[in-house]
């Protein structure tokens, strides 16, 4: 046996378990979702009717799905922008500035990330309570009665209230990720730029941001995908998609179609749409954020 053949056999043996698991738990279920989206099926019987692309044609005309799509995109855009900006800002302050209570703030910011999403839903349901909630009570204390709202009962505000809970939950985790990247940047870079007269804002855009860019790029994709998943859990726990579908998102609508309305085939068609949307979004983000890797 040649050395090259032996090397290939060794690589195959090492990667085979991972390939088998990937096939069993990723590829086969994904293909099965695509296959089931072509059937009309209740999900709990053997009566399946092949309908081809009818489920996708129905999806195209389903205004409730369009509403869920709009809500999901709105959450992804708003929550991603606010979370990323605030996480980078806090990470920069806690890494570059000598603040009193620095360690305390690190712990406080990270706590929401170790809480169950159901617990977070309970906390924010209490905060948003129109009668006894912290938010409206605070406005009353400040004599700003006009700002008191039905945070989860107002169709125009409910989706933003869900977004607030998502932001609160995520900031600490991503802040720690960026702090880890920033801590590895040599201090000599900042010292040299200071000697040349660069201010803190210039240092941030010329040194910090370019050198954590790869981390930022990776976490951005991860965050958007996790927002799709976590928004489903928060919506289920806080509003159930209401009021009147105002907080319905991708996954909550798919869940209702598949498991509440017993339209399993249609639910799988929605699942396929979500898969394609997520895949396309990841590809766009990867292409838009691609830039030369800086080494130090």
């Amino acid at each position: 046996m040649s050395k090259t053949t032996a090397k290939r056999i060794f690589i195959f043996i090492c990667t085979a378990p991972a390939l088998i698991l990937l096939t069993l738990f990723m590829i086969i279920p994904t293909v099965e979702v695509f296959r089931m989206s072509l059937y009309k099926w209740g999900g709990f019987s053997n009566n399946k009717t092949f309908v081809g692309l009818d489920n996708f044609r129905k999806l195209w005309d389903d205004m409730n799905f369009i509403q869920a799509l709009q809500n999901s995109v709105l959450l992804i855009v708003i929550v991603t922008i606010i979370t990323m900006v605030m996480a980078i800002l806090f990470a920069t302050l806690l890494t570059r500035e000598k603040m009193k209570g620095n360690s305390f703030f690190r712990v406080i910011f990270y706590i929401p990330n170790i809480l169950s999403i159901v617990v977070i839903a309970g906390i924010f349901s209490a905060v948003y309570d129109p009668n006894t909630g912290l938010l409206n009570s605070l406005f009353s204390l400040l004599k700003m009665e006009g700002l008191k709202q039905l945070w989860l009962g107002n169709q125009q505000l409910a989706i933003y209230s869900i977004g607030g809970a998502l932001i609160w939950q995520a900031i600490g985790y991503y802040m720690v990720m960026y702090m880890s990247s920033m801590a590895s940047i040599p201090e000599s870079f900042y010292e040299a730029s200071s000697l040349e007269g660069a201010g803190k804002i210039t240092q941030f855009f010329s040194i910090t941001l370019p050198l954590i860019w790869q981390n930022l790029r990776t976490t951005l994709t991860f965050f958007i995908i996790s927002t799709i998943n976590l928004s489903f859990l928060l919506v289920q726990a806080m509003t159930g998609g209401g009021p009147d579908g105002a907080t319905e998102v991708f996954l909550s609508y798919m869940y209702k179609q598949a498991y509440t309305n017993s339209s399993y085939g249609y639910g799988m068609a929605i699942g396929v749409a979500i898969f394609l949307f997520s895949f396309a979004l990841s590809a766009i983000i990867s292409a838009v954020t691609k830039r030369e890797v800086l080494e130090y």
Side-chain angles (χ1 to χ4, degrees):
M1 181 183 297
S2 67
K3 189 175 180 180
T4 303
T5 303
K7 184 179 179 181
R8 288 176 179 172
I9 292 175
F10 176 75
I11 293 173
F12 175 76
I13 293 173
C14 290
T15 57
L19 291 174
I20 292 172
L21 290 174
L22 181 69
T23 302
L24 286 176
F25 296 107
M26 290 293 293
I27 296 177
I28 292 178
T30 302
V31 171
E32 184 66 6
V33 168
F34 275 77
R35 190 179 74 84
M36 294 312 304
S37 68
L38 303 176
Y39 286 84
K40 182 179 181 182
W41 183 37
F44 298 101
S45 71
N46 292 324
N47 298 323
K48 301 178 188 174
T49 305
F50 182 77
V51 295
L53 297 177
D54 281 359
N55 283 329
F56 293 96
R57 295 192 189 96
K58 180 181 174 183
L59 199 62
W60 186 259
D61 297 325
D62 188 344
M63 294 311 298
N64 291 324
F65 173 74
I66 301 299
Q67 175 69 52
L69 171 66
Q70 291 174 343
N71 287 340
S72 293
V73 172
L74 182 67
L75 278 182
I76 287 171
V77 172
I78 292 177
V79 171
T80 299
I81 292 174
I82 296 177
T83 302
M84 290 294 132
V85 170
M86 293 185 73
I88 293 173
L89 175 64
F90 290 142
T92 304
L93 289 174
L94 293 177
T95 304
R96 301 296 313 155
E97 303 297 327
K98 294 180 180 179
M99 296 173 58
K100 195 173 182 180
N102 193 308
S103 300
F104 172 77
F105 286 120
R106 295 185 188 203
V107 173
I108 290 297
F109 279 124
Y110 194 74
I111 283 178
N113 192 63
I114 63 175
L115 297 177
S116 162
I117 198 70
V118 178
V119 173
I120 292 174
I123 292 172
F124 272 81
S125 293
V127 169
Y128 290 142
D129 188 288
N131 300 315
T132 60
L134 176 65
L135 205 50
N136 279 352
S137 299
L138 187 62
F139 287 134
S140 295
L141 187 66
L142 298 174
K143 308 297 182 187
M144 303 168 71
E145 301 290 338
L147 295 179
K148 293 170 66 174
Q149 300 287 340
L150 291 171
W151 299 102
L152 295 176
N154 186 321
Q155 290 189 24
Q156 305 301 321
L157 283 177
I159 191 67
Y160 298 102
S161 301
I162 296 290
L166 279 169
I167 292 168
W168 186 80
Q169 185 273 338
I171 284 178
Y173 175 78
Y174 291 94
M175 181 194 76
V176 171
M177 295 279 283
Y178 299 141
M179 286 176 67
S180 175
S181 292
M182 291 176 188
S184 64
I185 299 174
E187 187 62 27
S188 58
F189 287 14
Y190 295 101
E191 292 172 354
S193 64
S194 294
L195 291 175
E196 294 177 0
K200 293 186 182 299
I201 294 177
T202 302
Q203 288 179 343
F204 173 78
F205 286 105
S206 301
I207 299 174
T208 306
L209 197 57
L211 293 179
I212 68 167
W213 188 258
Q214 286 304 311
N215 187 7
L216 181 64
R217 188 181 176 211
T218 303
T219 55
L220 185 60
T221 304
F222 177 75
F223 179 72
I224 288 175
I225 301 304
S226 66
T227 297
I228 294 175
N229 294 325
L230 293 178
S231 62
F232 162 65
L233 297 174
L234 277 178
V235 165
Q236 286 293 102
M238 293 176 70
T239 63
D244 197 24
T247 58
E248 205 75 82
V249 291
F250 271 153
L251 293 179
S252 64
Y253 191 60
M254 186 194 81
Y255 179 85
K256 284 182 180 176
Q257 293 300 320
Y259 301 106
T260 303
N261 298 340
S262 297
S263 300
Y264 196 81
Y266 187 52
M268 292 305 98
I270 298 173
V272 171
I274 297 170
F275 174 84
L276 295 176
F277 174 84
S278 302
F279 187 82
L281 194 58
S282 299
I284 291 170
I285 292 169
S286 179
V288 170
T289 59
K290 188 176 182 180
R291 62 170 58 181
E292 185 181 356
V293 178
L294 299 178
E295 297 181 353
Y296 53 93

